[in-house]
Amino acid sequence: MERYSAWRLFREALNGHRGWTPAWRSPSPKRRYDAVIIGGGGHGLATAYYLAKNHGMTNVAVVERGWLGGGNTGRNTTIVRSNYYHRESARLYDFSVRLYESLSRELNYNVMFSQRGVITLAHSRHDLEVVARWAGAAQLHGVDAEMVSVDEIKRRIPLLDTSPSARFPVWGGLMQRRGGTARHDAVAWGYARAASRLGVDIIQNCEVTGFSRNERGRVVGVETSLGPIAAGVVGLAVAGHSTVLADLAGFRLPVTSYALQAFVSEPLKPVMDTVMLSLATGAYISQSDKGGLVIGGGLDLYPSYAQRGNLPTAQRVIGALADQMPALGRVRLLRQWAGIVDVVPDSSPILGETPVEGLFINCGWGTGGFKAIPAGGTLLAHHLATGEPHPLAEPFGLRRFATGALIDEAAASGIAH
Amino acid sequence: MLLIPCPWCGPRDEIEFRCGGQSHIQRPEPFDAVSDEAWADYLFTRINPKGVSYERWLHVFGCRQWFNVARDTRTHEIHAVYRMGEPKPDLRGVE
Ligand SMILES: Cc1cc2nc3c(=O)[nH]c(=O)nc-3n(C[C@H](O)[C@H](O)[C@H](O)COP(=O)(O)OP(=O)(O)OC[C@H]3O[C@@H](n4cnc5c(N)ncnc54)[C@H](O)[C@@H]3O)c2cc1C
Ligand SMILES: [Zn+2]
């Protein structure tokens, strides 16, 4: 498989771009793999890549029901940050941000990771206290986080109404300078290409419909729309469909599926060079390199598997932004969509063993797992290959719900993504 | 946009309601004999069906009554509305 480089691009340009070959192989499934990963989103693809790269396991398949990144990985608003409140989370997400910092080189694929900073706005004295406590916690965990003044916020986000009469007055904020955005499709495609190059089989349009078990109940393979595939171990990374697959395997999860919407505006000249999140409204915004404003907000109000999203939530999110950035009031939206996210009571992922032997899980990222893709892949690969949880993954086991050792990021930071 | 038939007020816009999640959950008893696992199930584990979901709703900006809704999570279609305490309706042929 060819390496991508500026020189290569130049040579292909001279040649009318007729020399490019597919970025990954699309073989038909073998009868048996040492590991089968269900779900061709970022977490599944990264898991396959790190199995091959870190553990030398190359007899591996990724089985995807639709197309790569067609789930939440290709639908998210790409915010990457690691200023979480609890130590376990800060370590996990910061490990991921560090992997992002070198990912383009590692994969030989430009994932366009742009550390443009993420600013969280405080809109009241109470918000400001929450944010100060949050910044302090992040700093204790060794994660960069700093308080920013209203003047500094105004300088970075001129569009924002920071006047005293604003509908959502700004009292200050929290900034992580190492946070930013990346290109979502590129993360999926980059991992797929790099995994395929190491020998992993990427199998699209192949839905897992059941599990085969041995007499002891251990999972020994998957049933798929392309026939049975035997597996040494199976990894599950299907986000909003986690309970659907868990039902097939015969166990339950504390996961509820909700629609989360996103919106993109018509392309504009550069108006914003950072990411803004609002604690009062839950709305957030950044500008893509193509000029579109990328906008998101809170979850839809009831559980859903319909990937479209409903109008009241759309109105709430867009209305809030129009209040906060009045100059955008007449900007038209180009597209709107939703992804089905896997929400867990403590808003932290579920990583590791399931009650079924031979089946390991990576789910529960909810509204914020794009930033965690490199970490999630590394940790699931570690568990599949060694049979032991990675130290960073250990606190996030399914057992925490029975022991009470929840990692409650919902209560701690109260913000999605 | 959903039109939700409140058993007391009739069909009203979804923005007047709040979804309270899965219905028909029984608290395990007796309290001091419940295992940690059973208690965790009670608190956290949900069916999360892809299909008909039996859930509690509150008409929060209306009569402020709770009631049950049988709703398909794939299409959001409402198949039945019934009062708290009533058993699940028979939806064979729909589910
Ligand atoms: C609108 C929106 C905005 C978001 N914004 C952010 C953000 O700004 N920052 C952030 O960090 N996170 C964000 N997220 C969350 C993030 O997108 C997800 O947490 C992350 O992409 C999950 O990746 P994944 O690989 O686990 O799941 P997915 O990318 O959803 O992949 C799961 C795959 O499993 C496949 N699958 C399902 N069932 C089967 C089956 N039976 N057989 C085979 N394959 C199956 C699906 O087709 C899918 O491709 C957002 C999500 C949404 C929807
Ligand atoms: Zn009513």
Side-chain angles (χ1 to χ4, degrees):
Chain A
M1 212 168 281
E2 74 249 31
R3 272 192 72 74
Y4 294 157
S5 63
W7 160 243
R8 182 70 209 277
L9 194 61
F10 177 68
R11 217 181 62 203
E12 287 302 332
L14 293 180
N15 194 22
H17 291 289
R18 283 187 303 267
W20 299 108
T21 55
W24 56 82
R25 298 170 295 110
S26 295
S28 31
K30 290 193 261 182
R31 299 176 62 159
R32 185 183 184 285
Y33 293 92
D34 295 334
V36 167
I37 312 300
I38 308 173
H43 284 276
L45 292 164
T47 302
Y49 170 72
Y50 292 114
L51 274 174
K53 154 109 194 307
N54 294 352
H55 304 281
M57 280 177 73
T58 55
N59 186 26
V60 171
V62 176
V63 183
E64 163 56 46
R65 177 172 79 131
W67 65 94
L68 299 189
N72 297 336
T73 299
R75 293 168 186 268
N76 80 91
T77 46
T78 78
I79 298 174
V80 176
R81 62 177 182 90
S82 59
N83 52 352
Y84 280 71
Y85 182 77
H86 290 290
R87 191 179 42 163
E88 296 85 347
S89 329
R91 279 188 185 156
L92 172 69
Y93 289 102
D94 206 54
F95 176 65
S96 206
V97 170
R98 274 181 275 130
L99 289 174
Y100 260 117
E101 284 171 341
S102 55
L103 197 59
S104 292
R105 225 171 317 124
E106 159 109 26
L107 299 179
N108 178 230
Y109 204 102
N110 186 1
V111 302
M112 296 167 70
F113 183 44
S114 156
Q115 292 176 295
R116 57 186 66 186
V118 175
I119 296 177
T120 305
L121 301 180
H123 299 283
S124 64
R125 188 161 64 80
H126 309 289
D127 274 5
L128 208 55
E129 282 169 5
V130 166
V131 157
R133 173 171 169 267
W134 185 358
Q139 286 168 7
L140 272 179
H141 307 321
V143 173
D144 75 299
E146 60 196 87
M147 300 292 290
V148 281
S149 67
V150 179
D151 287 344
E152 171 73 359
I153 292 170
K154 182 72 193 164
R155 198 183 61 75
R156 285 301 303 264
I157 316 172
L159 279 178
L160 184 66
D161 182 0
T162 53
S163 63
S165 61
R167 169 71 183 81
F168 297 101
V170 178
W171 282 59
L174 166 72
M175 180 166 192
Q176 183 176 26
R177 291 185 195 274
R178 285 164 62 238
T181 58
R183 170 135 167 76
H184 49 15
D185 292 328
V187 172
W189 297 338
Y191 273 117
R193 173 170 171 270
S196 175
R197 189 210 298 247
L198 295 173
V200 170
D201 283 0
I202 310 271
I203 301 159
Q204 300 183 71
N205 299 309
C206 178
E207 178 168 0
V208 171
T209 54
F211 294 89
S212 30
R213 321 273 285 256
N214 69 10
E215 62 290 346
R216 284 191 6 264
R218 186 183 203 283
V219 164
V220 291
V222 292
E223 324 270 337
T224 78
S225 51
L226 299 179
I229 305 174
V233 282
V234 176
L236 190 57
V238 294
H241 279 76
S242 295
T243 61
V244 175
L245 274 288
D247 285 345
L248 293 175
F251 67 96
R252 287 257 151 96
L253 288 168
V255 168
T256 305
S257 298
Y258 287 92
L260 180 65
Q261 302 191 49
F263 314 85
V264 168
S265 77
E266 58 191 331
L268 305 176
K269 296 230 166 109
V271 291
M272 197 177 163
D273 65 358
T274 186
V275 181
M276 185 198 94
L277 300 132
S278 165
L279 273 181
T281 66
Y284 60 92
I285 180 167
S286 66
Q287 188 170 25
S288 80
D289 292 356
K290 279 193 291 188
L293 296 170
V294 181
I295 298 165
L299 290 170
D300 275 16
L301 299 174
Y302 39 83
S304 175
Y305 285 87
Q307 289 188 121
R308 51 169 190 260
N310 72 6
L311 192 59
T313 300
Q315 283 175 324
R316 217 177 42 233
V317 174
I318 302 299
L321 267 179
D323 275 335
Q324 292 179 286
M325 299 182 159
L328 298 182
R330 307 190 71 115
V331 171
R332 279 160 301 187
L333 291 181
L334 212 55
R335 284 178 289 132
Q336 171 274 355
W337 65 88
I340 302 306
V341 296
D342 38 345
V343 176
V344 174
D346 63 356
S347 293
S348 286
I350 300 174
L351 307 174
E353 283 173 358
T354 69
V356 178
E357 206 189 325
L359 180 61
F360 297 83
I361 200 164
N362 162 326
C363 76
W365 298 104
T367 60
F370 175 71
K371 62 176 75 67
I373 284 172
T378 303
L379 305 187
L380 181 57
H382 185 277
H383 210 150
L384 289 170
T386 67
E388 296 291 330
H390 189 287
L392 286 176
E394 224 170 337
F396 294 95
L398 183 53
R399 272 203 53 76
R400 74 175 184 271
F401 296 96
T403 61
L406 303 186
I407 303 167
D408 199 344
E409 285 296 336
S413 41
I415 198 159
H417 325 291
Chain B
M1 183 83 85
L2 296 183
L3 205 54
I4 300 176
C6 171
W8 286 274
C9 311
R12 308 288 303 179
D13 192 320
E14 72 173 80
I15 57 173
E16 296 183 7
F17 296 85
R18 202 177 82 208
C19 179
Q22 183 181 324
S23 201
H24 306 289
I25 294 175
Q26 288 295 326
R27 177 169 147 160
E29 306 275 6
F31 173 75
D32 52 359
V34 177
S35 69
D36 288 351
E37 283 68 24
W39 191 249
D41 269 353
Y42 163 64
L43 287 180
F44 301 123
T45 307
R46 296 295 176 260
I47 302 171
N48 195 30
K50 185 174 183 176
V52 176
S53 171
Y54 299 87
E55 49 200 27
R56 300 171 301 176
W57 284 72
L58 172 64
H59 194 181
V60 59
F61 299 119
C63 62
R64 301 187 61 81
Q65 297 290 324
W66 284 94
F67 57 96
N68 289 310
V69 173
R71 184 182 62 90
D72 195 311
T73 58
R74 294 165 299 190
T75 59
H76 302 170
E77 183 180 356
I78 292 172
H79 291 300
V81 169
Y82 55 106
R83 297 189 181 194
M84 297 311 288
E86 284 180 8
K88 288 182 191 175
D90 183 0
L91 292 179
R92 265 172 301 186
V94 180
E95 284 195 59

